[in-house]
């Protein structure tokens, strides 16, 4: 692995499940197919390892099968000093270089290549819902490609500032195996699917070469989210979940 502060590794006990990218202090994104149903539905937490040696627990807040994306909330020890991740996101450009943040230790097997298509049809439903993803050409796909699931995809051009372009998801369902193709879900797709973040445009200055990076800001605080979840659970226990929906706001 490399020591980008936005990079996380995900474990169930001592079994490594995949990687993810921190979006903000309290939220991270990973590939949904890395997790089991009880984890996706929030009944079981996973263990997260951060590059600085800190650990946290991760609970899935939402997941989306269509895009293969899952949103994790990071739970740190009480009063632990946790820094915001230094991460910027950007749109991919066709033909530019990319590389996966996760690397297989002691093998030299990294995953890199060029961007083939920035809005490739990934999955759709009969009622017209449609998700696009980055289609990435690879120089060489290792046999254990699955170990790269959820890894952030970084811009590989040394002359541009380091940014995250997306994260590796499973191969497009229904497509035949292609040893030179990888798919990556984009952060903008996660914003669209989950609706919990707003995009903060950082502008081009001082970023050169027409780069327009952005960061994410949560729409509601973690305390607001907890209050809303507590209200929803109380309604569920009382048998009113299908009758009442309250716009709950902590004051």
């Amino acid at each position: 692995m490399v020591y980008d502060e936005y990079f996380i590794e995900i474990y169930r006990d001592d079994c490594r499940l995949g990687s993810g990218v921190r979006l903000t202090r309290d939220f991270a994104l990973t590939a949904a197919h890395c997790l089991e149903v009880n984890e996706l539905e929030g009944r079981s937490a996973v263990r997260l390892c951060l590059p600085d040696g800190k650990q946290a627990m991760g609970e899935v807040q939402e997941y989306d099968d269509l895009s293969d994306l899952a949103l994790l909330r990071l739970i740190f020890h009480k009063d632990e000093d946790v820094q915001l991740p230094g991460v910027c996101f950007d749109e991919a450009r066709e033909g530019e270089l990319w590389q996966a943040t996760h690397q297989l230790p002691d093998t030299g097997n990294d995953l890199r290549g060029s961007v083939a298509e920035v809005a490739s049809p990934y999955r759709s439903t009969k009622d017209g819902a449609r998700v696009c993803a980055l289609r990435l050409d690879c120089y060489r796909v290792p046999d254990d490609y699955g170990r790269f699931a959820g890894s952030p995809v970084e811009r590989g051009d040394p002359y541009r500032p380091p940014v995250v372009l997306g994260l590796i998801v499973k191969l497009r369902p229904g497509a035949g195996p292609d040893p030179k193709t990888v798919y990556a879900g984009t952060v903008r797709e996660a914003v669209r699917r989950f609706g919990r973040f707003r995009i903060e445009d950082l502008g081009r200055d001082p970023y050169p070469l027409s780069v327009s990076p952005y960061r994410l800001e949560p729409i509601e605080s973690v305390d607001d989210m907890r209050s809303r979840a507590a209200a929803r659970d109380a309604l569920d226990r009382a048998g009113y979940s299908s009758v009442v929906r309250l716009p709950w706001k902590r004051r």
Side-chain angles (χ1 to χ4, degrees), residues 4 12 14-15 25 35-36 88 120 130 137 145 152 209 213:
D4 298 274
R12 181 188 306 120
D14 292 327
C15 177
R25 178 189 182 279
L35 307 175
E36 294 181 344
C88 293
S120 177
R130 183 171 177 266
D137 284 340
Y145 159 74
L209 302 176

Side-chain angles (χ1 to χ4, degrees), residues 1-3 7 9 11 16-19 98-112 140-152 168:
M1 60 171 285
V2 294
Y3 291 92
F7 178 69
E9 293 196 277
Y11 290 83
R16 185 183 181 279
L17 304 178
S19 309
W98 66 272
Q99 61 185 15
T101 305
H102 177 62
Q103 298 176 9
L104 300 184
D106 303 324
T107 65
N109 285 340
D110 56 355
L111 201 60
R112 62 179 63 237
R140 175 175 49 86
V141 179
D143 293 336
D144 46 4
Y145 159 74
R147 294 181 62 182
F148 290 91
S151 172
I168 293 175

Side-chain angles (χ1 to χ4, degrees), residues 89-90 93 155 160-161 163 203-205 207-213:
F89 308 101
D90 196 11
R93 284 82 165 166
R155 174 172 287 129
R160 292 181 183 269
V163 294
R204 295 187 178 184
D205 190 32
Y207 297 92
L209 302 176
S210 300
V211 171
S212 300

Side-chain angles (χ1 to χ4, degrees), residues 11 27 33 71 91 96 121 123 131 140 157 163 168 197 204 206 209-210 214-215 243 249:
Y11 290 83
F27 291 97
H33 79 273
L71 182 66
E91 312 300 327
E96 73 174 341
R123 292 189 73 179
V131 167
R140 175 175 49 86
D157 187 342
V163 294
I168 293 175
F197 305 94
R204 295 187 178 184
L209 302 176
S210 300
Y214 60 89
R215 291 195 180 108
V243 179
K249 176 71 175 176

Side-chain angles (χ1 to χ4, degrees), residues 1-202:
M1 60 171 285
V2 294
Y3 291 92
D4 298 274
E5 56 187 303
Y6 53 77
F7 178 69
I8 61 172
E9 293 196 277
I10 304 170
Y11 290 83
R12 181 188 306 120
D13 299 324
D14 292 327
C15 177
R16 185 183 181 279
L17 304 178
S19 309
V21 57
R22 288 179 69 189
L23 303 178
T24 66
R25 178 189 182 279
D26 297 299
F27 291 97
L29 195 66
T30 188
H33 79 273
C34 295
L35 307 175
E36 294 181 344
V37 173
N38 62 324
E39 294 159 346
L40 289 172
E41 295 182 351
R43 299 194 302 271
S44 180
V46 292
R47 181 168 61 91
L48 309 177
C49 293
L50 282 60
D52 61 2
K54 287 188 172 67
Q55 294 196 15
M57 299 306 292
E59 290 184 349
V60 174
Q61 300 300 294
E62 294 186 62
Y63 72 98
D64 179 61
D65 283 331
L66 206 60
S67 60
D68 191 30
L69 296 176
L71 182 66
L72 291 166
R73 180 169 69 90
L74 283 70
I75 305 170
F76 298 99
H77 295 297
K78 186 177 180 181
D79 301 324
E80 185 173 3
D81 181 24
V82 179
Q83 300 298 315
L84 292 170
V87 55
C88 293
F89 308 101
D90 196 11
E91 312 300 327
R93 284 82 165 166
E94 290 186 6
E96 73 174 341
L97 301 178
W98 66 272
Q99 61 185 15
T101 305
H102 177 62
Q103 298 176 9
L104 300 184
D106 303 324
T107 65
N109 285 340
D110 56 355
L111 201 60
R112 62 179 63 237
S114 59
V115 177
E117 192 175 358
V118 298
S120 177
Y122 183 65
R123 292 189 73 179
S124 60
T125 63
K126 294 180 180 179
D127 59 3
R130 183 171 177 266
V131 167
C132 291
L134 301 177
R135 183 169 63 83
L136 307 174
D137 284 340
C138 299
Y139 297 147
R140 175 175 49 86
V141 179
D143 293 336
D144 46 4
Y145 159 74
R147 294 181 62 182
F148 290 91
S151 172
V153 170
E154 303 173 350
R155 174 172 287 129
D157 187 342
Y159 300 104
R160 292 181 183 269
V163 294
V164 173
L165 305 175
L167 77 163
I168 293 175
V169 293
K170 63 185 176 182
L171 295 177
R172 183 168 66 86
D178 186 339
K180 294 185 178 181
T181 297
V182 165
Y183 287 89
T186 65
V187 175
R188 281 193 185 270
E189 188 64 47
V191 171
R192 186 172 74 88
R193 305 298 291 182
F194 299 135
R196 290 175 179 258
F197 305 94
R198 65 174 65 91
I199 291 174
E200 178 190 0
D201 188 356
L202 299 180

